[in-house]
Every structure is written in structure tokens, then in C-alpha cells.
Amino acid sequence: MIIDQPVHVFLEQLSSKSPTPGGGSAAAVIGSMGAALVGMVCNLTVGKKSYESVEDDMRATLAAAEDLRERLVFLVRADMEAFDRVMAAYALPKDNETLQQARSSAIQEALKGATEVPLACARACADVIRISRVAAELGNRNIISDAGVAVLAGYAGLKGAALNVYVNTAAIKDQAFVSEKLSELNALLTGLDVATEEIYHEVQSRL
Amino acid sequence: MIIDQPVHVFLEQLSSKSPTPGGGSAAAVIGSMGAALVGMVCNLTVGKKSYESVEDDMRATLAAAEDLRERLVFLVRADMEAFDRVMAAYALPKDNETLQQARSSAIQEALKGATEVPLACARACADVIRISRVAAELGNRNIISDAGVAVLAGYAGLKGAALNVYVNTAAIKDQAFVSEKLSELNALLTGLDVATEEIYHEVQSRL
């Protein structure tokens, strides 16, 4: 699996002609890095005498960060599999009308799967941004810049995942499905550009 | 080396109590992913009949993307080494005035190195944003969303590296050095927030 490859090999494969891993998987890795950095800030805050008053918040945030990091790692692979299913559906035979209809249904189903994965990635990245705020506001000042990199990663993952939702929904015929997914995405995106700016500035003010 | 570790191990180490790899290395990896995604768009554009007219631009952009990807991978390790040198300098003995002065000089030298690395990362990420624009405007429309993830990654890498420049310059006494480095960083940052937005919207318009 791609996630078991060395980082430099992952980067080479990302750059290669092969369509997977692509931007969807990259967005999930970037989001996971954001979650990992929140985890790091929490790990270097818990147990410190001068941060005793925020110990409970940091422990809860650490648990959330670890959950999000793992969920996003899972989505790296899920994104590649979803893309492969779309490609496999497009490759189905279309020699007669029956086959054409079966192929068209398979494509539509695969595209729905390829929409759900980046939407799940966007959801997780939105949560990365939220927990970055806790890390930025309450975390150990000595490594607070890492909370700033975390929020940037969460935001890049969110907006990158959004592009993959747009791409796949554009080819889906079931308009009820499309409008439901785009509504959820819009709700996820709302306010998080401003929140990201605020958290970045909070970090700058605590450097 | 961290870059030789599997991606999921890198993420675990990023999240751990260990201060390296931290946000500086993460910013370099994210920037490198941006460069890799520009490379992917170019790789899937060159040689295509319908993109013949942009073949030269795509080849030049591909070469730049590969150079930036490698440069940023190099900076992942350089960031960890620079941080270790700062820690080693702080750990020097300070039992008498001579030792204190030697330690203080060593810390100042190490902090300068720990400023140069994220500044080099910021420089490379600014270039990732620039080449993302070429990929977004001229690249194969079928995978244009990857150019969008690329610019987001470049921007997150740039702003993340900037935080690491701020952190290290804050403790440097040589004000001429500090003002030179902060001027260069400001010049690098200028306009790239707007450029990133523009490139993202260009991608959306070509989805």
C-alpha cells in the first residue's frame, strides 16, 4: 500500500504519470499531517507543570487528533480505490445497449463512491482545523508554531478534498445526491477560511 | 532518515513527543507534495495531441517541479538537523563566563542556520505556487484538480515555513541578519495569498 511506502517514494509516485495516488490522496495525507501536528503539540503540553490547568483539554484534543490522523490515513487508500473503481467502470464493454446501460450504472455508482471519499476527507480536515484552534490557544508556547502548520495543513486538505468532490459530482446524474453532497460540503467550508486566518494569527501572537 | 520511513510512520513520528520531525519538516513535505502534483499534471499533459501547443511550457514546468520536489525533500532533513544543532547548542555547558559566551555564540549560530532552512523552504514553496499557475492554466483538464491541490500545498508550505522563520529570528541578536531575512520573507509572501486564490479559482473554472 502507498502509505507503507517511504515518504520519498510516495512523492515520486505522486509526481508520476500514474493517476493514483493523485490530489485526493495528497489532500488526505496533508490533512493527516495537520492532525499529527496537533497531536504533537498536545503530546508536548500534557504532563507539563505550567500547563496543568489545560491538561484535560489537551488530553481530549490528543485523542481527537489521533483519531483524525488514522481516519485520514485510511482515506488515502480509500481515495485510490474509489478512483480505480471509476476507471474500471469506464473500461466496461459497451458493445450493445444492455452493456451500455450496465456500464453507465456502474460509472454512476463508482462516481458516488468517489464523491463520498473526498467528502469524508473534507469532514475530517474541518475537524483538524477545529482542534488546531485548541492547540493554538492552549498548547505549549515553545512549539506553538506547529499548531500554525497544523491549521494550514487542515485547510489545504479541506479545500483540496473539496475540488475532488466538485470533479466527481459534475459527472453524476442523480441531482438529489449531488445537491445533498454539495450542500454538506458548503456547510463544512463555511467560515473555515476565516477560522484558519484567526488560528494562524493566534499562533503568531503566541510565538 | 525520516524521508526513508513509510508515510504512516512519518505521520506517527510527527505526532509523537519527539520534537523532530516538527512543523518545519512538515511544511517541506507539504511543499514537496505540491511540487509532485504539478509534476503529475505535466506528466499527464506532455505527449497528448490536444495539448501539443503547450508541450514546451509543460516540459519546462515539469523540470522545475522535479527540481523543487527534490529540493524540498532535502530541506525536510536539513530542518531536523538545524533543529538538532540548536538543541545541542542549548545543551552546552555554562559553568563559567567563557563557557557561557561560547554557548551563547553557538546558540546564535545555530539559530541562524535554523532560520536559513525554513527561508529556503519558503522560497521553494513560493516557486511551487508559481508553477501551479502554469499547470492550472495550461495542464490537461482531466486532472486539473491536482493543480488546485498543488497550489494549496505550496501555500500551506510557504506559510508554515514562514512561522518557523519568525520563531527562530525572534531569538537572534544580530538585528542586521534578522531584518535581512524578514525582508526577504516578506517579499516572498507578498501577493501569494491573492495568487493562490486566483489559481484555485482558475482550477475551479476548468473542472
Side-chain angles (χ1 to χ4, degrees):
Chain A
M1 236 316 281
I2 190 71
I3 221 73
D4 302 319
Q5 297 289 326
V7 177
H8 70 90
V9 174
F10 171 76
L11 289 163
E12 279 156 28
Q13 294 189 356
L14 195 58
S15 177
S16 77
K17 264 189 165 55
S18 163
T20 59
S25 292
V29 170
I30 294 170
S32 187
M33 288 173 71
L37 286 165
V38 171
M40 184 190 179
V41 174
C42 296
N43 270 318
L44 288 165
T45 305
V46 295
K48 298 257 190 272
K49 195 84 191 146
S50 44
Y51 291 93
E52 224 169 30
S53 65
V54 298
E55 180 95 10
D56 290 348
D57 291 303
M58 284 292 110
R59 283 194 189 280
T61 305
L62 176 57
E66 289 188 342
D67 176 61
L68 288 167
R69 172 167 61 84
E70 281 168 25
R71 207 183 314 167
L72 284 157
V73 163
F74 170 82
L75 291 170
V76 177
R77 180 186 195 145
D79 187 82
M80 291 171 68
E81 288 171 352
F83 183 88
D84 288 342
R85 274 194 291 272
V86 173
M87 289 298 101
Y90 275 108
L92 287 172
K94 44 182 175 175
D95 307 297
N96 60 48
E97 209 176 311
T98 312
L99 287 174
Q100 279 165 22
Q101 278 179 9
R103 176 176 175 271
S104 176
S105 301
I107 291 169
Q108 290 298 310
E109 271 316 295
L111 285 170
K112 286 182 176 181
T115 299
E116 296 288 4
V117 175
L119 189 57
C121 180
R123 236 178 256 134
C125 288
D127 285 338
V128 169
I129 295 172
R130 282 181 202 104
I131 61 171
S132 297
R133 191 190 286 273
V134 186
E137 288 176 352
L138 307 178
N140 187 338
R141 279 189 64 176
N142 291 339
I143 48 144
I144 206 65
S145 65
D146 296 326
V149 182
V151 73
L152 293 163
Y155 189 69
L158 170 66
K159 296 278 282 186
L163 289 175
N164 285 276
V165 173
Y166 299 141
V167 164
N168 289 301
T169 49
I172 293 175
K173 290 173 187 159
D174 177 351
Q175 286 308 306
F177 176 91
V178 170
S179 98
E180 185 195 327
K181 300 307 166 186
L182 291 181
S183 295
E184 185 186 345
L185 179 63
N186 276 336
L188 280 172
L189 289 166
T190 302
L192 289 184
D193 47 353
V194 175
T196 298
E197 285 274 324
E198 284 172 1
I199 298 164
Y200 190 85
H201 288 304
E202 172 71 21
V203 166
Q204 278 192 292
S205 75
R206 295 190 68 214
L207 282 180
Chain B
M1 236 318 280
I2 192 71
I3 221 74
D4 302 320
Q5 298 288 326
V7 177
H8 69 90
V9 173
F10 171 75
L11 290 163
E12 279 156 28
Q13 294 189 355
L14 195 57
S15 177
S16 78
K17 264 189 167 52
S18 164
T20 58
S25 293
V29 170
I30 295 171
S32 186
M33 288 172 71
L37 286 165
V38 171
M40 184 189 178
V41 174
C42 297
N43 270 317
L44 288 164
T45 306
V46 295
K48 298 256 189 272
K49 195 86 191 145
S50 43
Y51 292 93
E52 224 168 29
S53 64
V54 298
E55 180 95 9
D56 290 348
D57 291 302
M58 285 291 111
R59 283 193 188 280
T61 305
L62 176 58
E66 290 189 341
D67 176 59
L68 288 167
R69 171 166 62 84
E70 280 168 25
R71 208 184 312 167
L72 284 157
V73 163
F74 169 82
L75 290 170
V76 177
R77 179 186 197 147
D79 187 83
M80 291 172 69
E81 288 171 350
F83 183 88
D84 288 342
R85 274 194 291 272
V86 173
M87 289 297 102
Y90 275 108
L92 286 174
K94 43 181 175 176
D95 307 297
N96 59 50
E97 210 177 309
T98 313
L99 287 173
Q100 279 165 23
Q101 277 179 8
R103 176 175 174 271
S104 177
S105 302
I107 291 170
Q108 290 297 312
E109 271 317 294
L111 285 169
K112 286 183 177 180
T115 300
E116 296 288 6
V117 175
L119 189 57
C121 180
R123 236 177 256 134
C125 288
D127 285 338
V128 169
I129 295 172
R130 283 183 200 102
I131 61 171
S132 297
R133 192 190 288 274
V134 186
E137 288 176 352
L138 308 178
N140 186 338
R141 278 189 65 176
N142 291 340
I143 48 143
I144 205 65
S145 64
D146 295 327
V149 182
V151 73
L152 293 164
Y155 188 70
L158 170 67
K159 297 279 283 185
L163 288 175
N164 285 276
V165 173
Y166 299 142
V167 164
N168 290 301
T169 49
I172 293 175
K173 290 173 188 158
D174 177 350
Q175 286 308 307
F177 176 91
V178 170
S179 97
E180 184 195 327
K181 300 306 163 184
L182 291 181
S183 296
E184 185 186 346
L185 180 62
N186 277 336
L188 280 171
L189 289 166
T190 303
L192 289 184
D193 47 353
V194 175
T196 299
E197 285 276 324
E198 284 172 1
I199 298 164
Y200 189 85
H201 288 304
E202 173 70 21
V203 167
Q204 277 192 292
S205 75
R206 295 189 67 213
L207 282 181

